[in-house]
Amino acid sequence: MAIQPPSERIWWKEPIPRTEIIWIIVAFLWGLVMFFMMIYWHSAGEQNLSNEAYRTTPAAFAAKAEAMVNEFKVREEAGMPVVRPPPGSDVYLIARLWQWWPILEFQKDQTYRLHISSMDWQHGFSLQPVNINLQIHPEYDMVVTVTPNEAGEFSIVCNEYCGIGHHTMIGKLYVAEK
Amino acid sequence: MANHKFRVCPTTGLRVFANAENLIKANAVVAVVFLLVGGLFGLAVALTRWPAVHLLPADWFYLVLTAHGLDVLLVWIIFFEMAVLYFASAVLLSSRLAAPRWAWLGFVLMLVGAIITNVAVLQGDSSVMFTSYVPMKAAPNFYLGLILFAVGALIGCFVFFGTLVIAKAEKTYEGSIPLVTFGAVTAAIIAVFTIASGAIILIPTWLWSLGYVSHIDSLMYKLVWWGMGHSSQQINVSAHVSIWYLIAAAVLGAKPLSEKVSRGAFLLYILFLQLASAHHLLVEPGVSSEWKIFNTSYAMYLAVLGSMIHGMTVPGTIEAAQRQKGYTNGLFEWLRKAPWDNPAFSGMFMSLILFGFLGGISGVVMGTEQINLIIHNTIYVPGHFHATVVAGTTLAFMAATYLLVPLIFQRELVMKKLAQWQPYVFAIGVAGISLFMMGAGTLGVPRRDWDITGADAVMQPDYPGAAFLMMGLNGISAVLAALGGMMFILVVVGSILFGKRIPSKSEVAEPAAEPPAAAVGEYGSATHRAIPGTVVLVMVFFTAFVLYYFINWKYLSEVWPLR
């Protein structure tokens, strides 16, 4: 029994029953499939993080975001600038207590280099209803090269707890038809 | 010597030393108290996230959520694990406990630490969640309490190791240690690594909260913190798998199919489980994909392999034991005629099934580097870990308690009907919690969020009606699970206080030589029983695993292209 010392003293020399051997082999091979699936997806799949990231400071990142807003602002919404940056450009999104700033407007099927960083605590970038989720740190400039493939109005929800106003930290992102 | 007093358990023939027995009792009682407190906090959380109820105001919600995580995930489980460690060493090896005074010191440190951290949280300025991600700062006592708690647990681990040394030296057993003790060794080794990680990150963070350290890198914090946070879940896995074997042996006299295979599977845990910190860093800036893939897969899923092996060998031991008893008809007579009215068995078996199907599969899927993009920090994550930690660990610990009450507290269970129903009510409730949270998470609902309607926000998110429905069903399931939890506490507290005493002989010199139940068969010999029913169960599991894995790749392929 499992609560007594093994009845065979030299238990490590016992042959392993066939059913167990087969299952161990199947489970091991399945592990390999799952392991190589992640590597395969890096070449064949379209949803991968390049893990491009830079050290930054809140001040330096905010300066870049403000420069972008000044250059490409098209209108205001609820006191927040709406920015339409050109396709292919570097786009900056600030996460801070408790807003995503500014509102971005992308074009469908165009590619953008989206930089995201936090001004204060950690935040969670959760694009809804697409359901893409990223962790946002202060002092790290995370770059995601993104290609929206559907037009519409999307929410950016914060899904990393960031204090009492966490649930109000909701931003917006537009994708316009070309 | 006074602390060498022991009695002989009339049912198992094990020698139970007074010093070990008292420590097991103390740790188990405190554990259950924190389960009650933390469980009630959990109910309040679920009722708040039930959109139609929305019980607590926002500040209380975040406070109570922090306390819930601490009290159940940490305090209840680690206290109970201390009881398991002392049981698996001193009781199963019929040995006295090493350094009982140190063990009591550890116990006091854990208790004081748990209280200090709870007070810090309840004072309201430490609503930082269980994870306390920097640069969000809690009161210094929040970290101090955790550090004291960890030091106490570390002492407990060393008392456990010391007891193994004493038992070996005093030849209280012959040959190798039992499988259950081996599993407990696994848990204790992982615990040492876990507590070391905790010390490395919590001590500087404590100094930072006091103003002696100026800066803590947020990514480094997460990496090391999860070296503690995730590894401590692996302590739980090792502990509850040991308990599965323990209950199968104690209730059915089941014997491992192969000692080598089961021990090898535990060894895989020791070697690879520590890499799991990466599960929490898959969508993080600053770590490479090579690092993520190697670590998140426990080096090619070798720790998952360990769990999949136990997934066959645990039901396999039960099937072999049952077939030995004559339940040989068809594929599943052994399972149909299992002692389903014994809460220790039913709790254990449902823990096994729910842990494997809900917790195990979802954990591997969400721990896939790219698939994590559609799951990270959604409420899918608590859905997963309620399947592992509540349906898996907590239910297994509850089942074990039904054995501990007669064996250690020497009391018969009271309210036997209530006890019979308890594992089912709890398991159905927890299965609902897990499934509905996972469902809501798939629809994008965030975790740790007071209000998903965005009523107080400038802009509103637009979750589908199904997401709100799932959160409501989650609330109903939580009520059911809380009911199951209350039933457990009623039965256990009632039995300890009012149960009929079970007499036992004291201070007998020799332990009973007879094994308590007939051994099932010799491994590798002609008497080894085939386990066709278990093979079918494993095939069902494997099919579900493969299908669900690729369904999630399909979901992933539908989101925006990212590089």
Side-chain angles (χ1 to χ4, degrees), chain B residues 427-442:
Chain B
I428 292 168
V430 180
I433 289 175
S434 302
L435 283 170
F436 295 125
M437 282 206 275
M438 287 190 222
T442 307

Side-chain angles (χ1 to χ4, degrees), chain A residues 7 11 23 42 51 135 137, chain B residues 255 284 292 308 369 376:
Chain A
S7 52
W11 50 267
W23 175 234
H42 271 279
N51 298 304
Q135 185 84 9
H137 286 256
Chain B
K255 178 177 176 171
E284 230 80 3
K292 289 174 180 174
M308 287 171 75
E369 190 208 359
H376 177 77

Side-chain angles (χ1 to χ4, degrees), chain B residues 59-313:
Chain B
D59 52 346
W60 274 98
F61 171 75
Y62 292 123
L63 185 155
V64 164
L65 182 51
T66 305
H68 168 60
L70 278 169
D71 285 339
V72 278
L73 197 56
L74 198 70
V75 185
W76 138 250
I77 284 181
I78 303 276
F79 265 111
F80 198 89
E81 275 161 358
M82 288 299 133
V84 171
L85 287 185
Y86 297 148
F87 179 85
S89 55
V91 176
L92 287 186
L93 299 178
S94 284
S95 169
R96 66 189 170 90
L97 197 72
R101 284 175 191 213
W102 280 96
W104 281 111
L105 174 68
F107 171 80
V108 170
L109 279 176
M110 284 172 67
L111 186 56
V112 169
I115 290 170
I116 288 177
T117 301
N118 264 285
V119 168
V121 171
L122 292 172
Q123 281 171 338
D125 46 7
S126 298
S127 297
V128 294
M129 300 294 130
F130 178 52
T131 45
S132 56
Y133 288 155
V134 303
M136 191 189 289
K137 201 182 278 182
N141 277 355
F142 176 89
Y143 309 105
L144 178 65
L146 291 177
I147 293 166
L148 293 178
F149 185 86
V151 171
L154 190 62
I155 292 173
C157 290
F158 283 109
V159 170
F160 168 78
F161 292 129
T163 306
L164 295 183
V165 173
I166 286 180
K168 182 99 191 155
E170 296 180 354
K171 296 195 168 53
T172 62
Y173 65 97
E174 290 198 359
S176 304
I177 54 173
L179 177 60
V180 172
T181 311
F182 191 90
V185 174
T186 305
I189 290 172
I190 298 174
V192 172
F193 170 88
T194 300
I195 294 166
S197 302
I200 291 169
I201 199 61
L202 285 175
I203 292 173
T205 307
W206 176 49
L207 295 174
W208 168 74
S209 74
L210 286 167
Y212 297 120
V213 169
S214 61
H215 180 255
I216 297 208
D217 182 86
S218 60
L219 185 64
M220 187 272 297
Y221 176 92
K222 268 193 94 174
L223 173 67
V224 186
W225 193 93
W226 281 110
M228 171 185 73
H230 207 106
S231 304
S232 71
Q233 305 322 310
Q234 324 292 12
I235 310 174
N236 303 343
V237 173
S238 307
H240 78 228
V241 172
S242 304
I243 283 175
W244 293 344
Y245 283 113
L246 168 76
I247 293 176
V251 175
L252 298 167
K255 178 177 176 171
L257 299 171
S258 160
E259 294 276 355
K260 181 159 60 178
V261 170
S262 294
R263 284 167 201 244
F266 275 122
L267 192 63
L268 288 174
Y269 284 171
I270 299 178
L271 295 177
F272 297 106
L273 276 178
Q274 279 76 316
L275 308 181
S277 174
H279 293 176
H280 304 266
L281 304 170
L282 293 176
V283 295
E284 230 80 3
V287 246
S288 71
S289 281
E290 291 84 348
W291 185 91
K292 289 174 180 174
I293 290 174
F294 180 81
N295 285 280
T296 195
S297 68
Y298 306 108
M300 302 194 181
Y301 292 98
L302 292 174
V304 174
L305 177 63
S307 285
M308 287 171 75
I309 292 172
H310 290 305
M312 168 177 268
T313 57

